[in-house]
Amino acid sequence: MKDFINSLYRNHSLVYKILLYISATFLIVYLFPKSGKFKYNFERGKPWQSENLYAPFDFAIKKTSSEVNAEKNEARNQAILYFNLDPDVKQQVTASFLEQYKSVVPDSLSNTTKSNLKEVGGDVIDKLYKKGVLDQDYDFSLNKKVVILENRIERSSGIYSDLTKQSDLRTIINSELVKKNLEEYFNQFTSLFFDIVEPNLTYNKAFTEKALKNELSKISYTRGSVERETLIISKGEVVEGDKYQKLKSLEAEYESQVWSDSNYNWIVFAYTLLVALALLMLLLFLRKYRQDVFDNNTKVTFIFFNIFLMVLLTTLVVNFDAQYIYVVPICILPLVLKAFFDARLGLFSHVITVLLLGSIVSNSYEYMFLQIIAGIVTILTVSELYKRANLFISVGQITMIYIVAYFAFFVIHEGSVENLKWETFGLFVLCGLATLFVQPLIYVYEKIFGLVSDVSLLELSDTNSKLLKELSNKAPGTFHHSLNVANLAEASANEIGANAMLVRVGALYHDIGKMKNPTYFTENQSTGINPHDELSSKESAGIIIDHVINGIEIAKKNNLPDRVIDFIRTHHGTSVVYYFYSKEKKINEQVDKLDFSYPGPKPFSKETAILMMCDSVEAASKSLKEPTSTKIDNFVENIINKQMAEEQFLNANITFKEIQAIKKVLKHKLANIYHLRIEYPE
């Protein structure tokens, strides 16, 4: 058990990558649709691109959503309204009328008039309660069918306009009084009836909704069926009308019945295999071509996180409304990865992501073609991302490529431009605008993952920054030396295609450790006094060597990125402080060379190797007396060849051809610095 734990500890980096790989696979599969995917792509109004399609099994033809909605609306319009009847209300109102009507009828009236008034009251009550009096005015259509329920038993039926509203009371009273020529008693009767009339109909909402739900459940979602081996559509036919609905029905059948619960596990397993295979290719690419990235778990996590983020965004948009799929700024992925790593890794990751998204979107071929072309254009056009104008120009080019490619696909499918969907072009413009969000996103990633981009490098290259200001004040000679090295290193990096901005920043900060003891370095000794004269060779070498350690401490204290600190660590590699080593050796033959050697490590990239060469050449060039072109050439050759002999560039991915190119740049630059001129004969 102990051996197993020790083995896990020794291989913890690999174990982490395996867990990350498994987690990413399952998270992406979780976002995928959990149904079978219809193997044919088709769109309404476009020609059928595949071979003749025959029904693989019997299936029903589904109605369109508009047909189903029309039937539902019809059912709602024809729905019956149910009202509960209280049978005792009419008797109570009649009794109240007989009891109270004498109070409004003067005794001076004739018996005939009194009898007529009593008859009118009875007629009013009969008319009010013929169908029933509503408890309130409802906002229903007048032609709506109604059913009156008494103790849950249907008593009568009709339409909503037959029912009496309380607002109708005045009209009914007036009409009955007019019949008997007794209009002068309208106010008295109205006052009386407003006191005694009570509603006897109450809307039964629950029963009405239950009846409507029952009617809606009877609606069929299919119309007709297609038998097995029946021709559904021929190659080249336009997908429209009944053929389109048959294809949609077949597609739905695949996703529901064909891919049933019994096949669910197989579908998930198949998706898992595809996703795992795609992510494995990415890991193998990193292992083979980007070993430094592969060895850094933070960087691998960063790449996987961005891929998952693109899949998540696309899934959310597809689930919301698939027509907005082109709004998702997929090109942010290669932009971000190129900003932090390189173009090749950015493009490879982009292609892997688009392949994964092909399982989510419809018209996967068209989508994948557009996104891969856009990704290639992104990699080819976006350079020097820290320049804002470059990003706007590149986004414009990406948007144009989207529009041109979509236009081409549309013409291929339609054969004309008459029905061109201009709103889709608007989606591409929105996608381009969303891509501009890459700038703040890069800043956020730098803070979260501790990475550094060219944008941050540009900020660090500002010589007015706090740390470089401090260097120029405490060690002005070192600061001037760093500026010269930065210019040489930048020119050399441009010559061999290395990261010029990174090597320039590394050069500016590589000697910040000299701020601790500036006068112990010759470039800062302006008074002619050399403090090394009072120290032993070993002590002097220790102070010189310590500027690397001091530089690392100062850099970390000022939160410089690790990529910049790497230049401080490696700019002397494991070389020897030869002046003091030779001085000590004259005194003591048994001197330990390690006491006079820098701790390393050796340069492990093109950029750190460039800095070592430029730093050594620039520092030593100060000792050149009466420099000539020949002297400079030999001088540069000797210094760099010595470094190569000491195997200082063994861990750096730099070639002999590139080293020769760097030598050529350094010779040319030094010749310009010392203003060499051709000696003309007198």
Side-chain angles (χ1 to χ4, degrees):
M1 183 65 181
K2 186 177 180 180
D3 292 339
F4 176 72
I5 294 174
N6 289 336
S7 176
L8 283 179
Y9 180 77
R10 286 193 302 271
N11 298 288
H12 69 278
S13 181
L14 181 59
V15 172
Y16 175 82
K17 289 182 182 67
I18 293 172
L19 292 176
L20 177 66
Y21 170 71
I22 294 172
S23 301
T25 300
F26 281 103
L27 282 173
I28 292 174
V29 171
Y30 175 78
L31 296 175
F32 276 17
K34 300 302 184 296
S35 61
K37 186 174 176 65
F38 193 47
K39 62 182 179 180
Y40 300 103
N41 290 321
F42 61 93
E43 288 186 59
R44 186 197 294 270
K46 295 184 178 181
W48 178 254
Q49 301 292 326
S50 305
E51 298 298 323
N52 294 354
L53 178 62
Y54 295 88
F57 44 75
D58 297 343
F59 65 92
I61 303 173
K62 294 185 179 295
K63 295 177 182 176
T64 64
S65 57
S66 59
E67 289 175 332
V68 173
N69 289 334
E71 291 186 21
K72 286 183 177 180
N73 290 333
E74 180 65 22
R76 292 188 183 97
N77 292 333
Q78 298 298 325
I80 297 174
L81 304 175
Y82 289 88
F83 290 87
N84 292 329
L85 174 68
D86 186 347
D88 299 328
V89 171
K90 182 178 180 181
Q91 295 176 3
Q92 294 171 2
V93 171
T94 302
S96 296
F97 172 74
L98 294 174
E99 182 180 341
Q100 297 182 32
Y101 98 97
K102 293 178 181 180
S103 63
V104 298
V105 177
D107 292 335
S108 59
L109 294 178
S110 65
N111 291 332
T112 303
T113 302
K114 290 180 180 179
S115 177
N116 288 338
L117 287 173
K118 185 177 181 181
E119 186 178 342
V120 167
D123 292 342
V124 169
I125 292 173
D126 289 339
K127 195 166 185 179
L128 282 172
Y129 292 98
K130 181 179 181 181
K131 288 292 184 179
V133 178
L134 293 167
D135 59 339
Q136 67 181 69
D137 288 350
Y138 295 97
D139 187 22
F140 296 129
S141 171
L142 295 177
N143 295 321
K144 270 279 197 181
K145 294 179 181 179
V146 297
V147 169
I148 310 300
L149 300 175
E150 183 177 345
N151 295 324
R152 293 181 173 272
I153 299 173
E154 183 178 338
R155 178 176 175 180
S156 63
S157 61
I159 59 175
Y160 181 68
S161 61
D162 294 338
L163 306 183
T164 305
K165 303 177 184 65
Q166 294 189 45
S167 58
D168 297 335
L169 180 59
R170 291 176 178 273
T171 305
I172 293 173
I173 292 173
N174 186 60
S175 66
E176 294 301 321
L177 288 172
V178 168
K179 289 179 182 178
K180 301 289 187 178
N181 295 316
L182 298 171
E183 298 95 323
E184 65 268 24
Y185 296 100
F186 175 76
N187 290 333
Q188 293 91 327
F189 260 60
T190 300
S191 177
L192 173 62
F193 275 99
F194 266 105
D195 289 337
I196 65 174
V197 169
E198 296 289 340
N200 66 340
L201 292 180
T202 306
Y203 177 52
N204 191 332
K205 184 178 180 180
F207 199 90
T208 301
E209 289 182 350
K210 184 178 179 181
L212 174 60
K213 188 176 181 180
N214 185 51
E215 290 299 318
L216 290 175
S217 66
K218 294 178 182 178
I219 294 176
S220 173
Y221 287 80
T222 62
R223 51 175 177 80
S225 61
V226 176
E227 295 183 359
R228 183 179 180 181
E229 300 299 330
T230 302
L231 177 64
I232 298 176
I233 191 168
S234 301
K235 184 175 182 179
E237 278 191 272
V238 177
V239 179
E240 58 185 0
D242 192 51
K243 295 185 183 299
Y244 174 77
Q245 204 54 38
K246 286 180 181 179
L247 289 171
K248 292 296 291 183
S249 302
L250 180 60
E251 182 181 36
E253 198 73 16
Y254 263 96
E255 295 176 355
S256 57
Q257 295 182 11
V258 176
W259 305 106
S260 59
D261 292 339
S262 61
N263 292 327
Y264 176 84
N265 292 333
W266 281 108
I267 296 170
V268 173
F269 176 70
Y271 272 135
T272 304
L273 284 180
L274 291 177
V275 174
L277 190 61
L279 295 181
L280 179 61
M281 294 303 104
L282 178 59
L283 283 176
L284 292 177
F285 173 85
L286 294 176
R287 175 80 185 276
K288 186 172 180 63
Y289 297 107
R290 297 293 181 272
Q291 186 68 45
D292 58 326
V293 177
F294 182 81
D295 292 338
N296 190 317
N297 286 338
T298 301
K299 293 179 179 179
V300 176
T301 304
F302 175 73
I303 295 170
F304 274 64
F305 171 79
N306 277 276
I307 292 175
F308 173 74
L309 182 62
M310 289 297 109
V311 176
L312 175 63
L313 287 175
T314 305
T315 304
L316 292 176
V317 171
V318 168
N319 291 338
F320 173 72
D321 193 338
Q323 69 174 336
Y324 297 117
I325 187 65
Y326 288 113
V327 174
V328 181
I330 301 295
C331 288
I332 280 183
L333 178 64
L335 274 175
V336 167
L337 296 184
K338 184 180 180 182
F340 288 113
F341 305 110
D342 60 82
R344 191 175 178 186
L345 175 56
L347 181 59
F348 192 90
S349 302
H350 177 73
V351 171
I352 291 293
T353 305
V354 173
L355 291 176
L356 292 174
L357 295 178
S359 300
I360 299 176
V361 302
S362 58
N363 298 319
S364 54
Y365 172 74
E366 179 179 322
Y367 176 84
M368 290 165 64
F369 184 92
L370 284 176
Q371 297 296 0
I372 290 176
I373 289 294
I376 293 172
V377 172
T378 302
I379 294 298
L380 294 177
T381 60
V382 177
S383 60
E384 298 179 324
L385 191 60
Y386 54 86
K387 295 181 179 178
R388 288 171 297 180
N390 287 358
L391 179 60
F392 280 96
I393 293 170
S394 297
V395 166
Q397 292 171 332
I398 294 166
T399 304
M400 184 57 63
I401 289 298
Y402 271 129
I403 292 173
V404 170
Y406 175 79
F407 175 81
F409 269 108
F410 188 89
V411 172
I412 290 172
H413 290 157
E414 295 286 339
S416 68
V417 295
E418 293 178 1
N419 300 318
L420 193 62
K421 298 178 180 178
W422 296 101
E423 61 271 17
T424 306
F425 295 158
L427 299 181
F428 292 136
V429 173
L430 289 177
C431 178
L433 294 176
T435 305
L436 295 174
F437 185 69
V438 70
Q439 285 282 21
L441 187 64
I442 287 174
Y443 176 78
V444 172
Y445 280 154
E446 286 179 334
K447 299 304 178 185
I448 295 176
F449 291 93
L451 300 171
V452 59
S453 68
D454 285 350
V455 180
S456 293
L457 291 176
L458 180 64
E459 295 173 356
L460 291 171
S461 67
D462 183 7
T463 54
N464 289 315
S465 64
K466 180 183 176 182
L467 191 55
L468 292 180
K469 274 285 187 183
E470 186 180 355
L471 177 63
S472 67
N473 291 330
K474 290 184 177 180
T478 299
F479 178 71
H480 185 259
H481 158 73
S482 297
L483 286 177
N484 290 336
V485 173
N487 292 331
L488 293 174
E490 185 177 16
S492 300
N494 284 324
E495 183 68 21
I496 66 170
N499 191 330
M501 179 62 71
L502 176 62
V503 76
R504 179 176 182 81
V505 173
L508 289 173
Y509 291 91
H510 78 284
D511 269 345
I512 57 174
K514 291 181 180 180
M515 285 193 294
K516 194 165 185 178
N517 297 298
T519 57
Y520 284 86
F521 300 90
T522 55
E523 66 264 25
N524 300 312
Q525 295 171 358
S526 58
T527 61
I529 299 173
N530 190 346
H532 289 288
D533 293 341
E534 300 177 1
L535 301 176
S536 67
S537 298
K538 191 172 182 180
E539 288 174 330
S540 295
I543 292 174
I544 300 298
I545 291 170
D546 281 347
H547 87 273
V548 173
I549 304 300
N550 295 333
I552 294 171
E553 291 176 356
I554 293 171
K556 288 187 174 180
K557 186 177 179 180
N558 287 272
N559 298 317
L560 290 185
D562 287 339
R563 290 178 75 186
V564 176
I565 296 176
D566 287 340
F567 288 91
I568 302 174
R569 289 191 180 100
T570 61
H571 73 277
H572 284 296
T574 57
S575 61
V576 177
V577 185
Y578 277 100
Y579 177 81
F580 293 109
Y581 173 69
S582 302
K583 187 177 178 182
E584 181 68 18
K585 199 169 184 181
K586 292 176 182 178
I587 303 170
N588 180 14
E589 286 290 337
Q590 303 300 321
V591 62
D592 187 355
K593 196 173 184 179
L594 290 176
D595 293 335
F596 294 84
S597 299
Y598 286 95
K602 296 176 180 179
F604 47 77
S605 66
K606 287 182 182 180
E607 289 77 16
T608 52
I610 289 170
L611 179 62
M612 173 180 267
M613 293 183 234
C614 295
D615 180 43
S616 301
V617 167
E618 203 285 332
S621 68
K622 298 294 190 295
S623 63
L624 279 175
K625 297 178 181 179
E626 298 180 2
T628 63
S629 179
T630 304
K631 278 186 178 180
I632 288 175
D633 289 355
N634 293 333
F635 166 77
V636 171
E637 289 287 345
N638 289 337
I639 289 178
I640 296 179
N641 287 343
K642 185 178 180 182
Q643 290 173 337
M644 293 172 65
E646 292 174 353
E647 298 183 340
Q648 294 296 331
F649 308 133
L650 193 63
N651 298 328
N653 58 334
I654 192 166
T655 64
F656 285 113
K657 183 178 180 180
E658 289 170 336
I659 292 174
Q660 289 302 118
I662 293 169
K663 287 180 181 179
K664 185 177 178 181
V665 170
L666 293 177
K667 293 171 185 176
H668 177 71
K669 286 290 182 181
L670 288 176
N672 289 335
I673 290 171
Y674 291 107
H675 303 288
L676 297 180
R677 295 288 185 267
I678 298 173
E679 295 183 8
Y680 293 98
E682 295 182 0

